[in-house]
Amino acid sequence: MSERNTAIRSLHDLGLAAWFGGSLMGAVGLNGAAQDEGGTELSRDRISSSGWAKWTPVNAAAIGAHLFGGGGLLAMNAHRVATQQGMGASTAAKTVLTAAALAATAYARLLGKKVELASSTDPDDAEKAAKHPIDLDKARRQLANAQWAVPALTGCLVVLNALHGEQQRPSEQLPGMWERARSAAHLMS
């Protein structure tokens, strides 16, 4: 019952750790530093936008590693998801939370790009922003909410990872599989 999946598990866990930690650091540290050092709202937007833009490729790689590792773990543990009581529900919850975190991340990037263009001093960016005007105050509020949603959702994923780790213990697997079989037999009778 005890197969080693160190490489896949490492991709999954390190990807999630970077996604969670980077988004939390950005919401707290980067946005806080921009608030302290920016002077005007537009200069704060530029500082924050610059930092988030530099983080985006690293974040994309972290998310990709997490998803690849998660797919690998799901494939390697499909028998447990199907037969162990509680695994299906926690895997479904993890899938829904991952989708929500991906959506929040994409939405934050979209809003961040809009704020970045609207606050830019580059004439090309100003021209692009003029073609797609936004309510900058509203976009800033929505962006702040989305940037806080990402660490909240990925933090929940960290908790579900801990649950999955507990469910993988041999002392949890056999009783869980027995309970699932007993429940299925009860439904058939």
Side-chain angles (χ1 to χ4, degrees):
M1 262 193 218
S2 139
E3 292 178 30
R4 292 194 177 241
N5 311 117
T6 306
I8 291 295
R9 188 175 305 281
S10 295
L11 284 171
H12 175 266
D13 293 352
L14 287 171
L16 180 57
W19 190 8
F20 169 74
S23 63
L24 184 60
M25 188 281 181
V28 175
L30 176 58
N31 290 348
Q35 186 71 27
D36 291 347
E37 300 299 322
T40 68
E41 283 189 348
L42 288 177
S43 63
R44 287 192 292 269
D45 289 342
R46 283 192 291 274
I47 292 168
S48 184
S49 293
S50 176
W52 283 106
K54 286 175 178 25
W55 169 245
T56 296
V58 176
N59 196 39
I63 292 168
H66 173 67
L67 295 176
F68 183 81
L73 287 174
L74 183 58
M76 290 177 207
N77 290 293
H79 66 285
R80 286 185 48 238
V81 173
T83 60
Q84 185 179 343
Q85 184 77 21
M87 278 297 298
S90 62
T91 300
K94 193 171 171 187
T95 301
V96 169
L97 278 172
T98 301
L102 286 167
T105 300
Y107 187 57
R109 183 62 189 135
L110 175 73
L111 288 169
K113 195 65 180 165
K114 288 181 178 184
V115 169
E116 181 182 338
L117 286 173
S119 63
S120 178
T121 56
D122 182 332
D124 291 337
D125 287 345
E127 186 179 318
K128 288 177 192 173
K131 289 180 184 175
H132 305 284
I134 62 166
D135 178 343
L136 194 52
D137 288 332
K138 181 179 175 184
R140 285 180 184 128
R141 284 190 307 275
Q142 291 172 330
L143 177 59
N145 289 334
Q147 287 173 335
W148 278 105
V150 176
L153 291 165
T154 54
C156 289
L157 287 171
V158 170
V159 172
L160 282 174
N161 275 353
L163 174 64
H164 274 198
E166 293 297 315
Q167 289 173 326
Q168 195 162 2
R169 294 173 183 246
S171 62
E172 292 285 322
Q173 286 184 38
L174 290 176
M177 289 176 187
W178 171 251
E179 187 58 37
R180 172 62 69 92
R182 208 168 65 82
S183 297
H186 177 71
L187 291 175
M188 295 173 134
S189 55

